[in-house]
Amino acid sequence: MGSAEWEQPTLQERRRELRGRIGRFQRHWMDFGPALLYMLPALALIAAFTYIPFLRAIYLSFFVVNRNTFQPSHFMGLTYYLRVLNIGDSPFGDIYLRSLLTTAVFTLMVVPLSIVAAVGLALLAQAKLRKIGIFRTIFTMTVTISIASASVIWSLIYSPNVGLFRGLLGVLHLNSTSILTDSHTALAAVALTTIWTSLGFNFVIALAGLQTIPKDLYESAMIDGAGHWRTFRRVTVPMLGPTLLFLLVIATIACLQAFTQFKVLIDSVGPDRSTAVFVYTIFDAFWMQNDYGFASAMSVVLFLVVLGLTISQLRLDRKVHYQ
Amino acid sequence: MRHAQRAKAGLYALLTLVSLAVLFPLLFSLSISFQGDTVAPRLLPDLGKLDLGVFGDVFRKEHNLPRWILNSFVVAALVTAGQVVISALAAYPLALLRFPGRTFFFFLFLGSLMIPWESTVIPNYLAIASLHWKDSYQGLIVPFLASGFGIFLLRQSYRTLPKELYEAAALEGCGRTRYLFTFLFPLSRPALATLAIYCFLSTWNQYYWPLLIIDNPVWRTGQVGITAFRSTEIASFNLQMAANLVVMAPTIALLIVGQKQFVRGLTAGALKG
């Protein structure tokens, strides 16, 4: 028998292979039904409360929506999007563009400080001491505290009756009675509350990141005679890259979506609209003006901003990991 | 030796100082709740006349407070139970079964994480209002019963189990559903606990959605309750802080009891990015 005949499958073998293929094909489709069944509750709920409402928000953003029937009535085209971007004649001027800017300023106030504070706490919590667990629990504490509860506490800290911040207003030569009612300080006050509330979460992530850094890197740095600061800059910071990027993105997205602290602490667009961040402005159009179409357009804009950030994170992530 | 000990003492002092700074808002609110009904609270209470009855008073002054806490418990517990079961079921075929369209379904679930809740809130509100689900448990619970995050987390956990286990069980005649209940659920208990704690915490702390769909004070959750109570006439500073501490207590207790799962839950969230 030649080797060529070996390679040529016999009829029987061919049949067996074909049957195998059909079998596999059938097996795959046999699993399809049960797989769908297992996923059905999740599929139905995610369709009903995420995808369909999202598509509906896009649809409504092109219409005037009736306040009573909740049905779209007049087609508006891109009017609402142009209003957000202040293109063409808008009776609202640039208040929506400014609210995007306010959100950006708020984000810049919160994110860098939050991350620096969290990494600082994490470095401290790495100390090899007895009972360090207690300190770790304390640093994690604010993760359990809701933004609403935190805002109730801070509204008291900021209260003119307590007067903890009265001195600050004097130093800044401001005449307001409370730092929450002065257009120069209100946004920063909300930012401080936000930093405190997010401290626990950021700390947990930073500590987990620090703990993944291999110990021998520190040992070799020590052998090379690198000091604390040098080791921190040359070993800790680069190795913490992915964690820092993650924190940066999560904290930024959380700031873009910030609402509760503004609702509880300020409960309006703030002095001179100085605390009118984007999601609060959506709430205002939706809840106060019942302008469902316009509010939908703004929520689509919010989606696009968050999507843009997520995509740039994925891009950056590759860079940070391949360093 | 001396030097090392001094460094240690210094580190403890620093840790204590930083801890006090981090805890300051909490300690301050505790201090104020003990100061009695005053319009000008001070940093520290007068230790001679501590008003320890404030936690009883707050329940007497705000009759709805127990109901708000009950509402939060019912909603958080049912959302957690629902999310764990529904995610555990949906993650199973995505991790272990081979069927056409598996990648499509996986990305369908993953993609839902890209849509911020705030972008869907208006149509969701309109739908819940049309269903007459305002002021009801179903209105507070049903929209949160499934999450792409939970499915993703459990899929990852199922995939860490050896594939041979599944094959061996199949050879022994263990059916698909039985495999799920006798092997997957018990073996992935840590991941399920992680998801449960994460989910309970985030539901307990929800604010925006219950604010929208609750009109009747009886149906408020703890979070909406305390912020509403704050702006009532009877809410003096000490009562505000006491009510706030009462609503915060369960989640702080959860941290102290289940810190390990807690930390795992949060860092698992970190992997999703």
Side-chain angles (χ1 to χ4, degrees):
Chain A
M1 273 199 190
S3 60
E5 271 173 281
W6 268 109
E7 278 164 22
Q8 205 75 356
T10 62
L11 201 60
Q12 237 177 352
E13 277 172 333
R14 258 197 212 160
R15 244 189 224 150
R16 201 177 301 146
E17 207 223 83
L18 198 62
R19 210 175 292 147
R21 225 188 272 167
I22 292 172
R24 238 172 292 147
F25 179 78
Q26 278 177 338
R27 253 205 313 280
H28 287 182
W29 280 100
M30 253 171 61
D31 273 353
F32 186 73
L36 212 57
L37 215 58
Y38 288 122
M39 294 188 296
L40 195 63
L43 281 174
L45 285 162
I46 288 180
F49 295 105
T50 305
Y51 281 113
I52 293 170
F54 178 61
L55 294 177
R56 191 153 173 81
I58 297 175
Y59 176 67
L60 291 179
S61 71
F62 299 114
F63 290 91
V64 171
V65 178
N66 186 297
R67 280 162 202 213
N68 303 313
T69 62
F70 304 155
Q71 293 307 314
S73 54
H74 311 289
F75 183 69
M76 296 291 281
L78 290 172
T79 315
Y80 290 143
Y81 291 95
L82 298 179
R83 189 192 292 176
V84 175
L85 300 173
N86 191 29
I87 298 172
D89 279 333
S90 164
F92 300 92
D94 63 350
I95 63 171
Y96 299 108
L97 264 185
R98 265 177 50 205
S99 105
L100 278 172
L101 186 72
T102 306
T103 311
V105 173
F106 173 70
T107 307
L108 283 175
M109 285 174 170
V110 171
V111 174
L113 266 174
S114 291
I115 294 179
V116 169
V119 172
L121 288 182
L123 286 171
L124 265 179
Q126 266 209 317
K128 286 177 194 60
L129 295 171
R130 284 204 301 168
K131 301 285 172 206
I132 189 75
I134 295 175
F135 294 105
R136 286 186 185 169
T137 307
I138 290 173
F139 295 164
T140 314
M141 192 73 87
T142 69
V143 94
T144 64
I145 296 169
S146 69
I147 304 177
S149 284
S151 304
V152 170
I153 296 176
W154 281 85
S155 73
L156 194 87
I157 295 176
Y158 292 144
S159 159
N161 295 51
V162 173
L164 278 178
F165 282 84
R166 204 179 290 140
L168 183 76
L169 284 171
V171 171
L172 296 173
H173 301 290
L174 299 170
N175 289 323
S176 308
T177 48
S178 156
I179 72 166
L180 289 177
T181 54
D182 194 293
S183 61
H184 299 91
T185 52
L187 193 64
V190 181
L192 183 60
T193 303
T194 311
I195 292 171
W196 181 73
T197 315
S198 62
L199 208 52
F201 174 78
N202 294 341
F203 164 74
V204 169
I205 303 295
L207 185 64
L210 281 180
Q211 283 168 344
T212 60
I213 301 177
K215 296 233 164 30
D216 42 320
L217 281 182
Y218 287 108
E219 280 158 20
S220 26
M222 217 167 78
I223 292 165
D224 290 346
H228 281 297
W229 174 240
R230 221 178 133 78
T231 313
F232 177 73
R233 271 195 45 201
R234 293 290 163 84
V235 179
T236 312
V237 173
M239 291 304 288
L240 213 53
T243 308
L244 292 176
L245 178 66
F246 172 76
L247 279 179
L248 181 72
V249 172
I250 291 290
T252 306
I253 290 178
C255 281
L256 296 180
Q257 297 175 335
F259 167 76
T260 304
Q261 54 272 59
F262 290 93
K263 176 80 177 87
V264 178
L265 282 170
I266 313 274
D267 203 13
S268 72
V269 290
D272 301 333
R273 296 192 73 91
S274 61
T275 61
V277 285
F278 202 61
V279 174
Y280 194 89
T281 315
I282 298 179
F283 172 78
D284 198 57
F286 161 44
W287 201 244
M288 303 296 173
Q289 333 287 346
N290 291 338
D291 199 345
Y292 301 135
F294 179 50
S296 295
M298 284 201 281
S299 51
V300 174
V301 172
L302 177 75
F303 162 75
L304 292 173
V305 173
V306 172
L307 183 72
L309 259 168
T310 313
I311 291 171
S312 48
Q313 181 218 359
L314 291 176
R315 291 241 171 114
L316 266 173
D317 206 32
R318 229 163 275 156
K319 269 192 198 157
V320 175
H321 277 290
Y322 286 173
Q323 217 170 31
Chain B
M1 214 54 202
R2 262 271 158 80
H3 185 74
Q5 255 171 3
R6 209 175 296 158
K8 223 176 224 178
L11 210 49
Y12 273 122
L14 185 63
L15 279 164
T16 310
L17 215 65
V18 173
S19 297
L20 281 176
V22 170
L23 287 180
F24 166 73
L26 276 180
L27 297 174
F28 186 51
S29 72
L30 203 61
S31 149
I32 283 180
S33 59
F34 288 139
Q35 288 184 28
D37 183 3
T38 164
V39 285
R42 280 165 310 164
L43 206 53
L44 292 171
D46 187 343
L47 289 175
K49 26 183 187 175
L50 281 185
D51 172 23
L52 295 172
V54 67
F55 290 98
D57 285 348
V58 73
F59 281 97
R60 264 192 297 281
K61 292 265 169 62
E62 178 52 73
H63 295 289
N64 282 325
L65 189 57
R67 179 62 199 269
W68 295 343
I69 292 167
L70 175 77
N71 289 343
S72 280
F73 260 112
V74 170
V75 171
L78 289 179
V79 167
T80 304
Q83 238 189 64
V84 168
V85 171
I86 288 168
S87 306
L89 288 175
Y92 177 36
L94 293 174
L96 287 167
L97 300 187
R98 292 176 55 103
F99 60 97
R102 187 170 77 166
T103 318
F104 167 76
F105 285 111
F106 177 65
F107 280 105
L108 195 67
F109 287 125
L110 204 60
S112 71
L113 293 174
M114 296 282 179
I115 301 172
W117 163 248
E118 289 78 3
S119 292
T120 58
V121 73
I122 296 159
N124 270 329
Y125 171 77
L126 300 181
I128 293 293
S130 306
L131 282 170
H132 302 291
W133 277 10
K134 288 182 77 173
D135 292 329
S136 76
Y137 281 140
Q138 61 267 35
L140 289 167
I141 293 167
V142 177
F144 301 97
L145 282 178
S147 86
F149 170 64
I151 295 166
F152 184 71
L153 184 77
L154 293 182
R155 172 185 173 270
Q156 298 303 88
S157 141
Y158 291 167
R159 278 164 68 100
T160 59
L161 301 174
K163 240 190 140 67
E164 292 76 29
L165 184 68
Y166 180 64
E167 283 155 13
L171 274 178
E172 295 292 322
C174 173
R176 266 187 230 99
T177 308
R178 225 181 84 200
Y179 182 74
L180 179 68
F181 285 99
T182 49
F183 289 97
L184 278 188
F185 277 177
L187 285 175
S188 48
R189 221 177 301 153
L192 294 172
T194 295
L195 176 63
I197 288 188
Y198 182 82
C199 180
F200 188 92
L201 179 72
S202 50
T203 312
W204 182 275
N205 286 346
Q206 251 177 19
Y207 179 76
Y208 195 172
W209 182 249
L211 177 74
L212 296 182
I213 70 154
I214 300 305
D215 291 333
N216 183 345
V218 170
W219 284 102
R220 283 178 188 146
T221 58
Q223 305 299 326
V224 177
I226 44 162
T227 53
F229 173 67
R230 191 173 72 103
S231 29
T232 57
E233 296 261 311
I234 48 164
S236 49
F237 288 137
N238 59 330
L239 289 176
Q240 281 183 37
M241 289 305 116
N244 201 11
L245 287 165
V246 166
V247 172
M248 281 190 300
T251 49
I252 294 184
L254 195 66
L255 169 73
I256 290 165
V257 172
Q259 195 178 10
K260 223 170 82 187
Q261 261 81 17
F262 225 94
V263 168
R264 206 186 289 137
L266 296 171
T267 42
L271 294 177
K272 103 186 167 179

